[in-house]
Amino acid sequence: MKTFRHWISACTLSALCTVLPAQTKMPAPWQSSLVKISKSGELVYIPDEEGNVIPDFSRVGYHHGNQSIPQHSVTRIISPVEGDNWAHIQQAVDEISQLPADQNGHRGVLLLKRGLYPVSQSVVIKAGGVVLKGEGSNVDETRLIATAKRKYALIKISGAGIREEISGTRVSITDKFVPVGTHSFQVSCGEGFKSGDKIVVYRPGTQKWVHDIKMDQIEERKGTRQWTPQEYNLAFEREVTRVEGNRLFIDNPVVMQMDWKYGGGDVYKYKFDGRINEVGVSDLCLESEFDDYEDTQHGWIGVQIEKAENCWVDNVTARYFGYAAVSCERFAKNVTVRNCRNLEPKAVITGGLRYSFNNIGQQNLFMNCQSTEGRHDYITGSQVCGPNVFYNCTATQTYADIGPHHRWAVGTLYDNIVTDGDINVQDRGKMGSGHGWAGVTQVLWNCHVGRAAVQSPWASGKNYSIGTKGERYPGVFTDRPDGVWEGHNETNVFPRSLYVTQLMARQKADLSLLIK
């Protein structure tokens, strides 16, 4: 059987192992049969009967993980003023937004000195290269408080415009079947493409596909919507890395099968002129005033990101918001959210509320985050185009489940997630307004859960539970196909983290190419 391989150095292997005193006895390392590290240091992917492999999730977050989050010098400093500080902060943000960008797209850093900043409206960053920074994320450091009695984001990062197909560039994918995990495919004509082109890999929704996954047969109840094909025209943003005749090679892998019987796929170039980049928010404590535990008219989101790429949110604590600490919207791409906390949200414990770290964008990374009292703490929404990663995050005092929430998220890794609640990947059927299948190519790796359900859809791929520790249960609807389960309750999963291992292997491979 053909396998896919990446090399990992000896020092990388040692970094992936837990260092223990010599006298400590641990069970032998357990490895998955689907992706493993060989004795010679190769990261090996083993295809299934259709050629699908667990994909490489390492090209997510700020600049695909190829660059560290930058540390720029401060451009301007402000301190709190009496009363509402919205105009005070917004004016400083707007002034920095007018500065010329340097060769890396950076304009300037606004430092908010330690103190209390009541804010009645969204602080909006709508130009690239602006960084908003405080002096720490504790309540006695730089603390912004949402004071208005309505739902709003305290900080909003938002570009403009829409993603547009470049006319005349669309070609068909001619392979009859493109498996999950591949980085290349044949197209009808490769002449118009070159390395560096930004493209969309387009996978159409078809009635046959909707029918085969039984999403036109959802049990009816009040408000149920059967799925329609046009809702599931999925657009995966990629970059061409090289062209060989009519074969295109892409940076991020295919994360959902493309099959001629379901309409195959297309490729086209795109532009997104209004999308901004190089925006950062860090070292802040964000809070919302509230009237009572179930208040739904107050600060709603700590940091909201839309129409932006290669941005970051780092070391931010959000307290008492109704919806989320950080929410990456549909056109948020290559965002890193790290070292952030969502604590003590205030809202009714019901649908559409308390989504602690929310993502419907693509190629985003959430790492080292914490949440308390959320409903869906690390969550994707509908028609989410991956890859996306949640890594090394915790959730306590949970009221619902972590995972893809509804209507088909594609290509998500939940890696080393620890929760006292559920992680579920399942057909949600008639739940909500007919949520149906939550997603495909959803991978749980070395997670600790109260319990987990992992099902695979009737068509178009699989979902995986690798090394999950906790109760295994069949899901809300127990007659659905089971997902792929390996290493349930294994105590010494190796490698510990799939994301970290893939990132190290790729970085070593990239370095080897540079040396050559």
Side-chain angles (χ1 to χ4, degrees):
M1 179 181 289
K2 185 179 179 182
T3 59
F4 298 83
R5 301 169 184 266
H6 290 289
W7 290 94
I8 301 179
S9 66
C11 62
T12 300
L13 278 171
S14 65
L16 297 171
C17 298
T18 302
V19 179
L20 296 168
Q23 69 271 20
T24 302
K25 291 184 179 180
M26 284 286 290
W30 174 88
Q31 293 209 68
S32 167
S33 69
L34 302 174
V35 55
K36 61 178 65 179
I37 299 174
S38 70
K39 291 181 180 179
S40 59
E42 296 174 282
L43 184 58
V44 182
Y45 298 82
I46 296 86
D48 66 13
E49 63 280 0
E50 293 181 302
N52 304 293
V53 297
I54 289 179
D56 183 352
F57 287 96
S58 69
R59 293 174 176 83
V60 295
Y62 181 73
H63 286 282
H64 302 286
N66 296 327
Q67 296 182 27
S68 299
I69 291 175
Q71 298 296 319
H72 298 294
S73 58
V74 172
T75 307
R76 182 171 176 188
I77 301 173
I78 63 174
S79 297
V81 297
E82 289 292 326
D84 186 2
N85 275 248
W86 171 76
H88 181 49
I89 299 172
Q90 189 66 60
Q91 181 180 351
V93 166
D94 292 344
E95 288 173 358
I96 290 178
S97 299
Q98 298 302 313
L99 297 175
D102 66 16
Q103 61 183 4
N104 297 315
H106 174 65
R107 296 179 196 273
V109 176
L110 173 61
L111 176 64
L112 304 184
K113 294 291 287 183
R114 186 185 309 267
L116 185 63
Y117 298 77
V119 178
S120 65
Q121 300 182 47
S122 297
V123 174
V124 180
I125 301 173
K126 53 187 177 182
V130 177
V131 178
L132 185 62
K133 180 181 174 64
E135 291 193 313
S137 61
N138 291 320
V139 294
D140 59 349
E141 294 174 320
T142 303
R143 186 177 170 199
L144 278 64
I145 299 183
T147 58
K149 294 184 181 298
R150 65 177 184 279
K151 297 176 182 178
Y152 66 108
L154 188 49
I155 299 171
K156 187 173 183 179
I157 300 166
S158 183
I162 59 172
R163 183 181 60 211
E164 297 181 73
E165 178 177 349
I166 297 177
S167 178
T169 65
R170 186 180 288 235
V171 295
S172 298
I173 295 173
T174 58
D175 295 318
K176 291 186 177 181
F177 182 83
V178 181
V180 171
T182 187
H183 285 78
S184 71
F185 39 72
Q186 292 284 135
V187 296
S188 55
C189 181
E191 288 184 2
F193 297 90
K194 65 181 184 305
S195 177
D197 282 346
K198 291 185 176 182
I199 61 169
V200 161
V201 178
Y202 176 82
R203 193 269 184 196
T206 65
Q207 187 58 52
K208 177 173 175 52
W209 175 74
V210 171
H211 182 73
D212 283 358
I213 63 170
K214 303 184 181 182
M215 292 293 94
D216 57 353
Q217 306 159 54
I218 302 170
E219 182 181 343
E220 293 281 355
R221 69 174 189 172
K222 185 177 181 180
T224 297
R225 287 193 300 111
Q226 304 294 334
W227 290 17
T228 59
Q230 61 269 22
E231 294 178 283
Y232 296 89
N233 296 326
L234 302 178
F236 300 86
E237 295 188 28
R238 298 292 186 264
E239 185 173 312
V240 175
T241 58
R242 73 179 191 272
V243 181
E244 295 180 1
N246 289 331
R247 178 166 289 275
L248 300 186
F249 292 79
I250 56 177
D251 59 342
N252 259 304
V254 170
V255 290
M256 179 179 173
Q257 300 170 0
M258 288 182 288
D259 193 325
W260 271 13
K261 69 181 178 182
Y262 295 133
D266 294 337
V267 173
Y268 58 82
K269 297 181 189 179
Y270 76 90
K271 61 181 179 178
F272 202 146
D273 294 335
R275 183 185 258 168
I276 60 176
N277 55 33
E278 301 299 331
V279 177
V281 176
S282 68
D283 303 306
L284 295 171
C285 178
L286 308 179
E287 289 189 1
S288 173
E289 292 183 347
F290 61 95
D291 288 337
D292 55 58
Y293 189 80
E294 295 188 341
D295 188 2
T296 57
Q297 293 299 317
H298 63 104
W300 212 237
I301 299 171
V303 182
Q304 183 179 37
I305 307 169
E306 172 68 318
K307 300 181 180 180
E309 64 181 335
N310 295 320
C311 299
W312 67 91
V313 182
D314 187 22
N315 189 32
V316 169
T317 298
R319 303 173 72 216
Y320 313 139
F321 288 87
Y323 186 70
V326 181
S327 184
C328 290
E329 307 300 339
R330 180 70 61 192
F331 295 109
K333 175 177 173 285
N334 288 113
V335 175
T336 291
V337 179
R338 70 180 188 185
N339 307 320
C340 292
R341 293 152 292 280
N342 188 68
L343 308 177
E344 304 175 75
K346 304 304 179 192
V348 178
I349 302 171
T350 189
L353 309 177
R354 299 182 182 227
Y355 289 17
S356 307
F357 292 91
N358 178 61
N359 177 57
I360 57 174
Q362 50 185 299
Q363 301 175 41
N364 297 324
L365 169 65
F366 295 74
M367 64 182 293
N368 305 337
C369 294
Q370 303 170 27
S371 178
T372 65
E373 300 182 49
R375 292 189 64 254
H376 302 295
D377 293 289
Y378 305 101
I379 183 173
T380 54
S382 60
Q383 300 102 43
V384 178
C385 297
N388 290 291
V389 173
F390 296 95
Y391 164 64
N392 196 38
C393 298
T394 64
T396 57
Q397 298 173 266
T398 58
Y399 290 107
D401 57 353
I402 290 167
H405 188 45
H406 67 116
R407 291 188 176 87
W408 209 255
V410 182
T412 315
L413 173 63
Y414 298 87
D415 186 335
N416 281 266
I417 306 301
V418 178
T419 176
D420 56 15
D422 295 2
I423 302 181
N424 293 326
V425 183
Q426 61 182 329
D427 179 5
R428 293 172 56 83
K430 65 181 180 180
M431 298 169 70
S433 57
H435 285 175
W437 278 108
V440 74
T441 319
Q442 306 292 299
V443 181
L444 277 58
W445 188 276
N446 199 22
C447 294
H448 295 245
V449 304
R451 65 175 187 171
V454 178
Q455 302 172 337
S456 290
W458 282 287
S460 291
K462 300 173 182 177
N463 295 313
Y464 304 85
S465 170
I466 311 296
T468 301
K469 282 162 274 297
E471 178 188 348
R472 174 180 177 179
Y473 86 108
V476 174
F477 302 101
T478 58
D479 60 342
R480 277 39 169 186
D482 207 4
V484 176
W485 283 77
E486 287 192 340
H488 182 218
N489 284 327
E490 286 286 345
T491 58
N492 195 17
V493 175
F494 182 77
R496 296 283 186 269
S497 165
L498 179 62
Y499 166 69
V500 171
T501 305
Q502 290 178 327
L503 180 63
M504 288 181 169
R506 179 172 64 82
Q507 289 174 338
K508 184 176 188 298
D510 292 345
L511 180 60
S512 298
L513 289 174
L514 288 174
I515 293 172
K516 289 180 181 180

